[in-house]
Amino acid sequence: MRAILFGGLILGLAVAAALPSCGEAGEALVRGAASANGGESGIALDCPASGVLHGPWSLHFDETSIRVRWDACKKSPAAITVTPERGGASRTVEGEQTASEVLTSYDVVKTIAPDLPGTYYRTEVAVTGLAPSTCYRYELTAEKGRGGRFCTARTLGDPFVFLAIGDTNPAVGDTDGVLASVTDGKTFGQKPDFSVHLGDMQYYDSVFESYATWFPAMAPLFEAGALEPSVGNHELERAHEFEDYYKRLFGGAGFDGPVEYYRFESGGVWFFSLDTELELTPSSAQGTWLEAQLADAAAKPGFRFSVVYFHKPWITLAAYPHFPELRKHYLPSFQKYGVRLVLQGHIHGYERFIENGITYVVSGGGGAALHDLDASVATRPDEAKARIFRAKRYHGTLFQVQTDRLDGRAIANDGSELDAFSIDLGK
Ligand SMILES: [Fe+2]
């Protein structure tokens, strides 16, 4: 952790040198006071007239419903207009605002927009009565032109695309290329329905990144489809950060679990988001939950296979720890209950392994400074034999679920294809 912090500081200083000037230090932060929110220094938040501060994004979806969220800096209309992407009647859906006292403060770098403590309004619109296997556009009533896209869960047999991305650190400068390349729909001729985030969504430790700068930079991902995150170590960098940002804004993304771990389903494929900052040993609450939920999912009508995803990798050849004992323990359950793919972050790069019939992908190249992917080749011979491919590149990984196979494509920030593979699903 100390190495990460130190590395982040060096990186941040490097980024600072590359950033365009925003005017005299401090000047850019002193803006019109439009809300009671403010930091200890007396800086007032520049709350837009619409009240819409961060977002929107969507999460918590099934075949007929989804939740659209954004963060507001004052009481404002909590409604959206929803229209089928392929045309059809629009309708307006009302939501609600929940006021919270946010304690997190980040205003140490005077050239970037700060995160200020104060009263904020999590705004949520629960949209129900939707059609399965259907994508929609939505627009906020509070701000015309601001909105996004979401898709309901697929019915069985309907091919769909999803995205895996991790370690997004747009302040470093390469996340924009990654997001453009994985949301354009070119790889599979179909845009992703949703994204699974493999953790380390935002990096205060890169110094020049606040949530105020992060949210606009991540907008292409939020606008593309639902975001189903997992918890990384950088979600807990500062006091109150987890509660104020991850839990308040991204909590409740799925079903059947607490904020930290949960599951959801689309097209007979079950996804399990785990929290590697919590205990994951077999006897832990999370481990017990995982095995019970995997068994439950596998017994559902129409079950096809499961995908497990989390932040700190169980298998990697980078310098960071791996967890062979967890792979060994969960292998019987994974084989018995149809887990075919494990997605991991934390390592800033791309690795693909096949071990005991399970495909393990590291896809943590979402923008944070890239890692050496070969640091443990000599000391982890079993894992070295299992690694099929690696690429020290910024990227995201797209998957298309077909009737008989799962296709994967690692796509770089310049749009080039780094890796292509298929997992045979049989019938
Ligand atoms: Fe991490």
Side-chain angles (χ1 to χ4, degrees):
M1 185 65 186
R2 196 160 46 198
I4 292 172
L5 285 167
F6 182 71
L9 179 61
I10 297 298
L11 180 63
L13 294 173
V15 169
L19 286 174
S21 169
C22 296
E24 292 300 314
E27 190 178 285
L29 303 182
V30 183
R31 292 171 289 206
S35 93
N37 296 321
E40 289 178 10
S41 58
I43 297 166
L45 180 76
D46 190 8
C47 186
S50 68
V52 181
L53 186 64
H54 299 317
W57 59 92
S58 58
L59 36 64
H60 192 89
F61 70 92
D62 60 17
E63 286 194 0
T64 59
S65 73
I66 196 162
R67 295 176 184 173
V68 173
R69 276 191 195 159
W70 62 95
D71 202 15
C73 43
K74 64 182 179 182
K75 289 184 180 176
S76 45
I80 59 172
T81 301
V82 179
T83 309
E85 194 172 44
R86 293 188 174 176
S90 299
R91 65 181 169 116
T92 300
V93 186
E94 297 286 339
E96 58 184 26
Q97 293 193 304
T98 305
S100 295
E101 286 305 309
V102 167
L103 302 174
T104 304
S105 176
Y106 190 78
D107 58 0
V108 299
V109 178
K110 303 307 178 189
T111 52
I112 66 167
D115 295 333
L116 302 174
T119 305
Y120 294 87
Y121 300 84
R122 189 184 84 168
T123 310
E124 180 170 287
V125 181
V127 189
T128 58
L130 298 167
S133 289
T134 304
C135 298
Y136 295 83
R137 303 289 314 177
Y138 64 91
E139 183 180 54
L140 275 55
T141 301
E143 188 174 331
K144 293 295 176 196
R146 193 159 181 165
R149 169 186 186 266
F150 63 70
C151 303
T152 52
R154 297 284 169 168
T155 50
L156 199 58
D158 193 5
F160 67 94
V161 174
F162 68 94
L163 167 68
I165 190 169
D167 304 81
T168 45
N169 188 186
V172 176
D174 291 286
T175 301
D176 56 348
V178 174
L179 297 185
S181 299
V182 295
T183 59
D184 62 12
K186 290 180 181 172
T187 299
F188 286 116
Q190 185 181 18
K191 292 184 177 183
D193 282 12
F194 59 87
S195 302
V196 297
H197 199 297
L198 306 174
D200 285 1
M201 293 167 62
Q202 184 268 5
Y203 285 75
Y204 278 132
D205 283 351
S206 66
V207 182
F208 286 82
E209 185 164 288
S210 61
Y211 279 97
T213 66
W214 181 85
F215 271 102
M218 294 294 288
L221 187 71
F222 297 151
E223 292 168 1
L227 179 69
E228 302 292 326
S230 59
V231 179
N233 49 299
H234 284 271
E235 272 64 77
L236 306 98
E237 295 161 302
R238 298 177 69 86
H240 314 296
E241 180 188 358
F242 183 78
E243 290 75 19
D244 288 344
Y245 286 94
Y246 189 95
K247 187 174 182 180
R248 184 175 70 92
L249 298 179
F250 299 107
F255 303 83
D256 306 314
V259 163
E260 292 84 357
Y261 47 92
Y262 60 86
R263 70 178 188 177
F264 64 97
E265 178 269 345
S266 185
V269 184
W270 288 77
F271 295 81
F272 297 79
S273 174
L274 305 181
D275 181 352
T276 50
E277 298 306 295
L278 294 178
E279 277 288 319
L280 195 43
T281 51
S283 59
S284 66
Q286 185 173 207
T288 305
W289 174 89
L290 175 61
E291 296 201 280
Q293 296 289 325
L294 285 172
D296 179 74
K300 299 276 190 192
F303 171 82
R304 298 196 64 205
F305 66 98
S306 284
V307 177
V308 175
Y309 66 99
F310 48 80
H311 185 60
K312 287 181 176 166
W314 291 0
I315 185 165
T316 178
L317 293 176
Y320 292 80
H322 67 157
F323 299 92
E325 69 283 4
L326 291 178
R327 301 202 312 269
K328 184 179 176 185
H329 170 76
Y330 287 106
L331 179 63
S333 292
F334 284 12
Q335 291 179 326
K336 184 176 181 182
Y337 301 126
V339 175
R340 302 301 307 276
L341 177 66
V342 176
L343 298 169
Q344 315 162 108
H346 194 51
I347 307 306
H348 303 165
Y350 176 83
E351 298 178 274
R352 177 165 61 89
F353 302 81
I354 299 176
E355 185 186 67
N356 296 314
I358 311 286
T359 295
Y360 294 84
V361 171
V362 169
S363 188
L370 295 170
H371 289 157
D372 175 4
L373 303 177
D374 297 331
S376 299
V377 166
T379 56
R380 298 176 186 171
D382 291 344
E383 288 76 8
K385 275 185 232 156
R387 192 165 73 177
I388 309 297
F389 190 80
R390 57 110 169 76
K392 187 179 176 182
R393 294 286 301 274
Y394 294 112
H395 75 282
T397 308
L398 288 162
F399 293 90
Q400 186 171 44
V401 179
Q402 305 269 20
T403 53
D404 60 346
R405 67 185 194 276
L406 174 65
D407 291 334
R409 300 283 187 276
I411 305 297
N413 56 324
D414 62 1
S416 61
E417 183 180 285
L418 301 174
D419 188 23
F421 61 96
S422 288
I423 299 173
D424 184 359
L425 300 173
K427 282 290 176 184

